[in-house]
Amino acid sequence: MALTPKQIGRSAGRIFQSAMPIDWAYRPQEDQEDYGVDAEIELIGENEKATGFIFKAQIKGQERVNIINNGQVVSFNLSTERLSYYMSQLDLPIILVVVDVTTKIVYWCTLQDNQELNDRLAISLGERNKTITIHIPSDNVLSGDGDKLIDAVMANLSWLKINALNKIKTPIHEMLKNSPSQLIDELIQRNKEFNFYLYIEQYDRLLKSSSYQELFNHAKVTFESTSELFDTRFNSGIYIEQVYLRALKDKPEIKDECLFNLYQSLIYLVRTEKMNKYYRMYVIFLMRAFIADKLIETDYHVVITKQNTASDPLTSWMLNRENDRVITTTAKHVEKIIYTINNMILHGNENFFVDAISRIAIKLSVYAHRLKIDERVESSEYLFNWLDYCLNIAIEVCKFQGNEGLHGKFILMYATIRVNQDNYQQYIEEARSKADYFHNDEIKAELNDSLDKISAQKNTYLQREDPDFEVEFFTSRAKQLGFKIDDPDDEMGRIIKQGLLDYNPERVVKNCEHLLMFASRSLGIPARMVGLYSASMKYLVCTKKKYIMGGWKLDDIYHFNPTGGFKEEFCKNCQDNCPRSTDWKWTSAWQEEQTEIHKDLLAPLERW
């Protein structure tokens, strides 16, 4: 027998109350003046004390709810007049509760902060429709502790507070005319504080949507505005930094110039505003980290040059003086970075410290590994241990702050910085134990999956899969030394340009796993000055059948020369020809490994 509307209504109210968490107080509202509001709910805290967190509920029951869109949405019709009252008259959050009295499932949704519903309501009122359809996500089900519903109510409450400004009907100038001066001062200050949160929210949304130009335009105006609060201007500068890092990542020279100028502006802002030592320490760190990043990059290439020219005393002698200068300057900047971060720790500057160590940890681990390569083992281990210490502090700070995203990032950093050491598996396992802290199984699984990849691949900054960084370094060095690499009439410039083109032989070597390119150690003056070993005679070698062919241009050696080219002569009909896997990439580290593996085969080339 079908239930009557009154029976459905009574049943819906009882089902809703039975589904409520035990710490919710239910107060019927039938005898109150609120139009169409069935109940008031208040959260009860410890010792049965009221919290003052209150919201309203309109409870509707149906014998069977109407579910549409392949089970994704519950569809419910509500009086247009009543919805208009909820949207425009109530100052407390209200949730619409729709109860399926057959299945006893309680569906819910908030109303006032639903902009799409607001827009449809305006149209419906204009068309004088009696009812309007409400769409409720079918996973909005009241169960357990009701946390999801409470979060939605809190978001709705925030919307109501902000929207209250739009309800002011009296012209602002009339409201302020008779206000005391102290109130005017307080309102100006509060307005600036309000702007801070408005700007940050706006910047966040633009950043997430990759609207870099719009973000830059807004942030630049605020950063340069002397009428805004210091915090507002400073954070605008940090968002401008994010624009440079993301939008200009493929334009490194422009990006570096923009970042350098920005850090100078931030230092000037902090000094002119006479901000505290925390801000002064942080902006100095930003500039030092920027410079250290470039120096460690150059220092890394010094290692490459040193290894590539080890068998050529003359070239090594020519480059040592410049290399020593780079090594000394880099060491001094790394020392300053360590000093600054130690000060952040000592002064309890948690937020700045966490940001600082997240920016520089991986790059400093590269430097620590580079020290080990130079047999400065004690210094290398000191820096590794210091990084471990800092990352462990950062992990504990993230635990305390509940910042799960950054917490996970630091766990991965902890494993990554040690990946080049013999006992790296120990650090992988320690990182796994740190990941066990997370109660969310999805986050834990993602972390362990990432740790598996780190363990399997052992890829580090020193084994980068993008040799373009190295080519950029040698290009810059050649230009600084005066080589006209873009002038076709400059003979030495042409030699260097060919060396840059052939530095990465992947386009040829990928065609067979037995095929390698090696450059002669008999370097000419241009190659010696730049430290670019590929600006010399080059050889293609088949490591399986010991075929060798040489020339100045890699593509000519492989595709064409007077005897037909390496490919035509040796590879075309070779039964052992086996292309490398599609995910294989050439790196300088891989090249060094192959040179060591095949040193006996290559020994005769050293004498040619």
Side-chain angles (χ1 to χ4, degrees):
M1 184 177 68
L3 297 175
T4 66
K6 287 188 177 182
Q7 288 173 327
I8 292 174
R10 286 196 297 270
S11 180
R14 291 166 184 165
I15 292 170
F16 173 67
Q17 289 185 63
S18 66
M20 282 175 24
I22 195 170
D23 57 347
W24 290 13
Y26 180 94
R27 303 186 185 110
Q29 297 284 284
E30 288 89 347
D31 57 344
Q32 303 299 313
E33 294 183 359
D34 287 340
Y35 172 63
V37 175
D38 295 318
E40 178 181 276
I41 313 297
E42 182 173 6
L43 268 62
I44 305 300
E46 295 181 2
N47 300 320
E48 289 299 303
K49 289 185 177 180
T51 63
F53 186 94
I54 297 172
F55 60 93
K56 305 282 188 175
Q58 168 69 72
I59 304 167
K60 293 291 185 180
Q62 288 192 314
E63 197 161 359
R64 286 195 181 276
V65 300
N66 181 29
I67 299 180
I68 61 174
N69 293 357
N70 296 319
Q72 300 299 307
V73 173
V74 172
S75 179
F76 182 80
N77 289 333
L78 190 66
S79 160
T80 303
E81 182 184 4
R82 184 162 294 184
L83 179 62
S84 179
Y85 168 74
Y86 295 154
M87 295 297 219
S88 59
Q89 300 299 317
L90 288 183
D91 293 327
L92 283 175
I94 183 165
I95 61 168
L96 173 64
V97 176
V98 177
V99 181
D100 187 319
V101 298
T102 302
T103 63
K104 293 183 171 53
I105 297 176
V106 178
Y107 301 96
W108 61 267
C109 70
T110 59
L111 296 174
Q112 293 112 313
D113 59 345
N114 187 331
Q115 187 57 50
E116 185 268 340
L117 183 57
N118 261 301
D119 294 340
R120 288 198 295 113
L121 174 62
I123 295 171
S124 188
L125 288 170
E127 296 176 349
R128 298 188 178 183
N129 296 327
K130 297 293 185 183
T131 63
I132 187 170
T133 302
I134 310 290
H135 293 147
I136 305 173
S138 59
D139 58 352
N140 278 11
V141 174
L142 181 59
S143 61
D145 54 13
D147 281 353
K148 184 177 179 180
L149 189 151
I150 294 301
D151 289 342
V153 170
M154 291 177 69
N156 195 39
L157 183 59
S158 297
W159 183 90
L160 285 168
K161 289 178 179 178
I162 294 172
N163 193 59
L165 297 174
N166 296 326
K167 292 186 175 181
I168 298 175
K169 303 299 183 183
T170 306
I172 293 178
H173 69 276
E174 290 186 10
M175 293 175 60
L176 298 177
K177 186 176 295 183
N178 299 317
S179 301
S181 298
Q182 183 180 354
L183 176 61
I184 300 297
D185 293 340
E186 290 176 359
L187 286 173
I188 290 173
Q189 184 64 24
R190 289 297 302 273
N191 183 60
K192 289 181 178 180
E193 293 170 359
F194 190 55
N195 280 348
F196 171 82
Y197 294 104
L198 286 175
Y199 286 134
I200 298 305
E201 183 60 32
Q202 180 189 52
Y203 297 161
D204 268 340
R205 295 183 184 190
L206 291 172
L207 191 64
K208 288 175 182 176
S209 65
S210 300
S211 304
Y212 299 130
Q213 187 60 56
E214 188 178 355
L215 170 54
F216 175 79
N217 292 341
H218 286 297
K220 185 174 184 293
V221 171
T222 309
F223 181 64
E224 295 174 350
S225 173
T226 56
S227 63
E228 293 290 350
L229 291 177
F230 167 82
D231 284 347
T232 307
R233 297 179 65 192
F234 186 85
N235 279 277
S236 297
I238 298 302
Y239 276 95
I240 291 173
E241 178 196 37
Q242 288 301 309
V243 171
Y244 291 155
L245 291 171
R246 300 185 189 200
L248 300 177
K249 63 181 179 181
D250 297 325
K251 300 176 181 178
E253 291 184 2
I254 298 175
K255 180 189 72 175
D256 289 347
E257 181 181 357
C258 289
L259 286 172
F260 182 80
N261 291 334
L262 174 65
Y263 296 143
Q264 281 191 316
S265 298
L266 285 169
I267 291 171
Y268 178 78
L269 174 64
V270 168
R271 286 177 174 170
T272 53
E273 294 290 329
K274 295 182 173 56
M275 298 308 296
N276 61 40
K277 60 186 176 184
Y278 300 127
Y279 279 103
R280 294 199 301 271
M281 200 181 301
Y282 181 67
V283 293
I284 293 299
F285 164 81
L286 289 177
M287 182 63 86
R288 285 178 176 170
F290 172 77
I291 295 171
D293 181 84
K294 305 305 166 191
L295 286 171
I296 291 172
E297 180 83 20
T298 304
D299 184 76
Y300 160 69
H301 289 95
V302 165
V303 176
I304 294 176
T305 305
K306 184 177 179 180
Q307 292 175 338
N308 288 339
T309 60
S311 61
D312 189 338
L314 178 58
T315 303
S316 296
W317 177 81
M318 292 176 66
L319 295 170
N320 272 345
R321 184 171 182 178
E322 181 186 353
N323 291 348
D324 288 345
R325 180 185 61 80
V326 171
I327 290 169
T328 301
T329 305
T330 305
K332 288 181 178 178
H333 264 79
V334 169
E335 185 178 6
K336 290 177 180 178
I337 289 289
I338 294 172
Y339 174 79
T340 303
I341 291 180
N342 282 343
N343 267 341
M344 290 180 180
I345 296 172
L346 289 172
H347 288 93
N349 192 355
E350 291 182 351
N351 292 329
F352 284 151
F353 158 71
V354 166
D355 179 79
I357 197 64
S358 71
R359 288 170 177 263
I360 202 69
I362 295 298
K363 189 56 70 77
L364 288 181
S365 74
V366 172
Y367 185 70
H369 186 70
R370 177 254 187 272
L371 292 174
K372 188 177 180 181
I373 292 173
D374 257 5
E375 298 183 354
R376 295 167 63 184
V377 178
E378 186 176 345
S379 297
S380 173
E381 195 56 29
Y382 167 81
L383 185 50
F384 274 126
N385 288 335
W386 180 82
L387 284 169
D388 288 345
Y389 168 74
C390 289
L391 291 176
N392 278 315
I393 292 178
I395 287 170
E396 292 304 314
V397 171
C398 290
K399 279 184 186 179
F400 178 75
Q401 295 179 343
N403 189 337
E404 291 188 343
L406 202 52
H407 186 176
K409 179 180 177 180
F410 281 125
I411 289 174
L412 295 180
M413 281 186 182
Y414 182 84
T416 301
I417 65 171
R418 293 281 191 167
V419 79
N420 260 327
Q421 297 192 286
D422 294 336
N423 61 341
Y424 78 97
Q425 282 292 355
Q426 170 190 334
Y427 290 90
I428 295 288
E429 294 310 312
E430 287 183 17
R432 290 191 198 282
S433 67
K434 294 178 187 294
D436 286 339
Y437 169 81
F438 290 94
H439 300 297
N440 187 307
D441 290 336
E442 186 176 343
I443 294 176
K444 192 183 300 184
E446 287 179 2
L447 281 173
N448 280 305
D449 183 55
S450 297
L451 290 170
D452 287 340
K453 291 177 181 178
I454 293 171
S455 178
Q457 296 174 1
K458 292 192 66 177
N459 282 335
T460 69
Y461 183 87
L462 286 174
Q463 295 169 309
R464 289 177 301 191
E465 296 183 358
D466 185 4
D468 291 345
F469 282 96
E470 295 161 19
V471 174
E472 287 174 10
F473 168 77
F474 288 119
T475 301
S476 176
R477 188 177 216 166
K479 289 180 178 179
Q480 290 170 2
L481 292 171
F483 288 104
K484 300 175 182 178
I485 61 176
D486 297 318
D487 185 353
D489 297 323
D490 187 287
E491 183 178 357
M492 289 195 293
R494 291 202 310 272
I495 293 172
I496 295 298
K497 188 167 186 176
Q498 189 62 48
L500 294 169
L501 179 63
D502 293 341
Y503 181 79
N504 178 1
E506 182 180 314
R507 62 188 182 278
V508 170
V509 176
K510 70 179 181 180
N511 293 314
C512 180
E513 63 182 20
H514 306 301
L515 187 60
L516 300 176
M517 184 203 83
F518 296 98
S520 170
R521 297 302 184 183
S522 298
L523 304 181
I525 293 298
R528 292 179 193 276
M529 292 177 67
V530 179
L532 182 61
Y533 77 100
S534 54
S536 64
M537 188 76 168
K538 288 169 278 287
Y539 302 95
L540 279 178
V541 178
C542 173
T543 59
K544 186 173 184 65
K545 297 186 177 180
K546 311 300 188 287
Y547 298 138
I548 298 175
M549 187 177 288
W552 282 98
K553 297 181 179 181
L554 175 61
D555 295 297
D556 284 355
I557 303 169
Y558 186 62
H559 293 289
F560 173 79
N561 66 30
T563 62
F566 196 97
K567 180 180 180 182
E568 182 71 22
E569 186 167 345
F570 302 124
C571 302
K572 186 175 181 180
N573 299 313
C574 180
Q575 299 299 314
D576 295 310
N577 185 275
C578 182
R580 300 184 190 276
S581 64
T582 55
D583 59 351
W584 175 82
K585 297 292 183 183
W586 181 91
T587 67
S588 55
W590 179 87
Q591 182 74 28
E592 290 162 16
E593 290 174 0
Q594 298 304 308
T595 302
E596 180 63 26
I597 291 170
H598 300 287
K599 61 184 178 183
D600 293 337
L601 174 62
L602 303 175
L605 299 182
E606 300 290 342
R607 299 191 291 270
W608 291 8

